[in-house]
């Protein structure tokens, strides 16, 4: 049962990361900008460096959390039951917050981030000319969403740490999590490369807005339930 619960926790956590919309939203605006301004080859190249920045930042976050938690648990004995209860409560709260506040009111897909943050992203997008600009934008695009994703990353790392001392298996899981998280970006990259534009993709995002809002909120509650089950 414990193994199945751990597997369920990892699957649900990856699904939540898959459905997060801030990074895909930034990538959509960025791709629209570069495909409209540069040749198809250069635009594709810049888009791939954006994705590479996202991959690296997510991998760094997971590795840093893994090393930090290992160091903490090496010196401090923490009640695992208390940890599961705390994260269970956190995910119930996040599920409610996601349902109510993740999307701003209106027909579009504007998210909870402040107008200043959105304008800063737009400024960086408009000034992006080089691979380093695209890479940096990919790096920073994850940061505003950490309010939702950081607890997920922590739980994922805690579950990975439960695997027997097998560096290959743990590293493989981290790679898998990173790959699952960037699937939406790869799909958008393929769509732009095959001639689709921002309007086509945005229509799909608007159409799926309610589905994502409800699905992710339910997934947060399922994750909370799985964690609380670990306590019993």
């Amino acid at each position: 049962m414990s193994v199945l619960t751990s597997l369920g926790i990892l699957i649900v956590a990856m699904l939540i990361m898959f459905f997060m919309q801030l990074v895909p939203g930034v990538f959509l605006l960025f791709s629209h900008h570069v495909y409209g301004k540069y040749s198809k080859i250069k635009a594709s190249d810049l888009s791939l460096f954006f994705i590479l920045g996202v991959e690296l930042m997510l991998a760094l976050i997971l590795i840093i959390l893994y090393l930090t938690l290992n160091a903490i648990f090496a010196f401090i004995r923490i009640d695992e039951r208390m940890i599961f209860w705390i994260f269970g409560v956190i995910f119930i709260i996040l599920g409610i917050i996601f349902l109510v506040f993740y999307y701003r009111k209106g027909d579009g897909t504007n998210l909870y981030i402040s107008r200043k943050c959105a304008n800063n992203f737009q400024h960086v997008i408009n000034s992006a000319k080089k691979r380093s600009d695209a890479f940096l934008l990919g790096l920073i695009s994850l940061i505003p969403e950490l309010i939702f994703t950081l607890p997920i990353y922590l739980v994922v790392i805690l579950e990975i740490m439960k695997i027997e001392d097998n560096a290959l298996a743990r590293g493989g899981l981290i790679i898998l999590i990173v790959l699952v998280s960037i699937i939406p970006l790869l799909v958008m990259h393929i769509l732009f490369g095959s001639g689709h534009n921002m309007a086509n993709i945005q229509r799909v995002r608007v159409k799926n807005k309610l589905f994502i809002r409800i699905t992710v909120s339910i997934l947060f509650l399922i994750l909370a339930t799985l964690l609380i089950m670990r306590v019993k």
Side-chain angles (χ1 to χ4, degrees), residues 14-131:
M14 284 190 282
L15 284 172
I16 294 174
M17 288 186 273
F18 175 84
F19 282 119
M20 285 290 150
Q21 292 298 300
L22 179 57
V23 177
V26 175
F27 183 68
L28 178 62
L29 293 172
F30 176 73
S31 296
H32 174 67
H33 171 74
V34 296
Y35 273 91
K37 188 173 183 179
Y38 303 113
S39 68
K40 188 174 180 179
I41 293 175
K42 181 173 181 180
S44 176
D45 184 62
L46 290 173
S47 294
L48 286 173
F49 269 83
F50 178 103
I51 296 173
L52 182 62
V54 174
E55 286 181 301
L56 180 61
M57 175 60 88
L58 181 51
L60 284 174
I61 290 172
L62 293 174
I63 292 170
I64 289 171
L65 289 177
Y66 177 81
L67 295 175
T68 302
L69 291 176
N70 263 306
I72 291 173
F73 292 151
F75 295 99
I76 303 174
R77 185 177 181 82
I78 300 176
D79 185 355
E80 192 178 74
R81 293 163 61 88
M82 180 185 68
I83 293 176
F84 289 144
W85 269 113
I86 290 172
F87 277 110
V89 172
I90 288 173
F91 288 131
I92 291 172
I93 294 170
L94 286 179
I96 297 170
I97 292 175
F98 191 97
L99 182 65
V100 179
F101 297 111
Y102 189 75
Y103 286 102
R104 288 180 177 269
K105 291 182 180 179
D107 297 329
T109 55
N110 291 331
L111 301 181
Y112 61 92
I113 60 173
S114 67
R115 293 303 92 198
K116 181 179 179 181
C117 182
N119 290 335
N120 287 339
F121 272 127
Q122 191 62 59
H123 174 72
V124 176
I125 288 169
N126 292 337
S127 60
K129 299 178 181 178
K130 301 175 292 184
R131 289 175 170 177

Side-chain angles (χ1 to χ4, degrees), residues 168-209:
L168 186 60
R170 291 177 177 179
L173 273 174
I174 289 176
I175 292 171
L176 177 61
I177 291 163
V178 172
L179 292 177
V180 168
S181 298
I182 65 166
I183 287 175
L185 307 185
L186 294 174
V187 171
M188 282 190 192
H189 177 69
I190 293 170
L191 290 174
F192 270 103
S194 60
H196 290 77
N197 56 33
M198 179 177 173
N200 300 142
I201 300 171
Q202 182 62 10
R203 274 195 295 271
V204 176
R205 297 182 76 231
V206 172
K207 183 179 179 180
N208 291 326
K209 175 180 171 180

